[in-house]
Amino acid sequence: MATQLPTSNSSFRDAYCSHRRCKPEDFETKVFLQTIQPFRFLPALFFLLIHRRLFAMDLETIRSVGKSSDSKDVSRILEEFSNYNRLERGRRRGVLKIRTSGTRLMALYTRYEPMITKPIVDNPLAGVGAISQSKATPNVTQHTSIQSSARLRKIRQVISGLSSGRSITELLTEAELTEAGFMDGLAANSENNPGFAWLRDQILLRSRLESALREVSELEKTVASQSRELAKIRDHA
């Protein structure tokens, strides 16, 4: 079966696949293998085949960059990716250092950017009457959008602080966010912000672990109390 290539290059992924003649569904894998350190290619390929989920954050970042047609959006995505790299200090990143290079990914985007067809911007003078009318009437949608943007800035502020090793409780207080609001914000914005879903999963895992440790601690206290009671019974016997 012939490979279906994009008919127009409206994004980085389209331009890359058209030039490299690869299937769009192979885009993330090919770019990932192209943006790691060359001498780590074989171990990366091995882990990619047996446990693809290890690279979920890398692949999600590449997917988001693939949808982009503006270098400013790519820079923002890669800045977030850099924050998550500092947060994740597992063996794969800390020791093996198998991960996407943000610098290599940006360079790859820059190489294909001239091939991307930028979206046409509407005439700013069009619909002046409609704009004037909208000024006279409160725009609920615009107000909601502003609120969403403000919350997104606060979420990124917290993430930036976490990558510096600060306490999440302190950061949430500074950003005037509750933990529930922060988690909801991560979930609501995860589609357009690579790593949000990953961070939410990590916080949930930490919460479950802390809950399990508290239960274990309570169980240990109960066992110790019962052991003391049993020892007293034996002494009396």
Side-chain angles (χ1 to χ4, degrees):
M1 183 182 294
T3 300
Q4 296 293 323
L5 297 174
T7 55
S8 63
N9 301 331
S10 60
S11 66
F12 169 48
R13 185 184 67 175
D14 292 344
Y16 181 92
C17 291
S18 293
H19 185 262
R20 301 293 292 267
R21 302 193 64 80
C22 71
K23 297 178 181 179
E25 56 266 30
D26 296 333
F27 168 75
E28 287 90 4
T29 300
K30 288 184 175 295
V31 171
F32 172 72
L33 293 173
Q34 194 173 349
T35 53
I36 61 174
Q37 296 292 341
F39 57 88
R40 294 192 173 93
F41 180 89
L42 290 179
L45 184 60
F46 171 75
F47 283 114
L48 194 64
L49 291 174
I50 66 171
H51 200 350
R52 188 179 180 88
R53 185 172 174 80
L54 284 173
F55 304 104
M57 187 166 58
D58 304 74
L59 296 173
E60 180 60 33
T61 297
I62 292 170
R63 189 176 301 116
S64 296
V65 172
K67 297 176 183 177
S68 302
S69 59
D70 188 292
S71 58
K72 292 181 180 178
D73 290 338
V74 175
S75 296
R76 176 186 58 79
I77 292 169
L78 294 181
E79 182 179 356
E80 290 178 1
F81 180 61
S82 177
N83 286 334
Y84 288 111
N85 277 335
R86 290 194 290 272
L87 282 171
E88 186 189 16
R89 296 182 176 91
R91 180 177 299 176
R92 176 175 62 84
R93 290 180 180 273
V95 179
L96 298 179
K97 299 187 185 299
I98 301 175
R99 63 179 178 83
T100 295
S101 164
T103 302
R104 288 174 179 268
L105 184 53
M106 188 68 196
L108 194 63
Y109 174 85
T110 302
R111 185 191 311 172
Y112 287 94
E113 186 176 20
M115 305 177 194
I116 300 173
T117 303
K118 303 290 183 179
I120 299 175
V121 180
D122 295 335
N123 183 357
L125 297 179
V128 172
I131 294 174
S132 299
Q133 183 178 1
S134 67
K135 287 182 178 179
T137 306
N139 192 328
V140 178
T141 302
Q142 184 180 12
H143 179 65
T144 304
S145 177
I146 292 173
Q147 286 184 322
S148 299
S149 298
R151 185 167 72 159
L152 187 57
R153 283 196 298 272
K154 291 181 178 181
I155 289 171
R156 288 179 177 150
Q157 175 185 334
V158 173
I159 293 172
S160 179
L162 286 174
S163 67
S164 302
R166 296 181 62 192
S167 163
I168 187 171
T169 304
E170 178 185 354
L171 291 166
L172 289 175
T173 301
E174 286 184 2
E176 299 180 344
L177 287 172
T178 63
E179 185 167 348
F182 179 65
M183 297 293 281
D184 289 344
L186 290 176
N189 293 278
S190 60
E191 183 177 352
N192 298 321
N193 297 274
F196 275 31
W198 172 86
L199 179 57
R200 185 173 181 272
D201 289 343
Q202 297 302 307
I203 294 175
L204 288 174
L205 285 173
R206 186 203 64 178
S207 178
R208 290 169 188 163
L209 176 60
E210 290 176 348
S211 177
L213 290 174
R214 283 194 297 269
E215 290 179 5
V216 169
S217 178
E218 290 299 321
L219 182 59
E220 288 176 344
K221 291 178 182 178
T222 301
V223 171
S225 176
Q226 291 178 347
S227 296
R228 288 192 296 270
E229 292 297 327
L230 183 58
K232 289 178 181 179
I233 293 172
R234 285 175 178 171
D235 289 341
H236 288 300

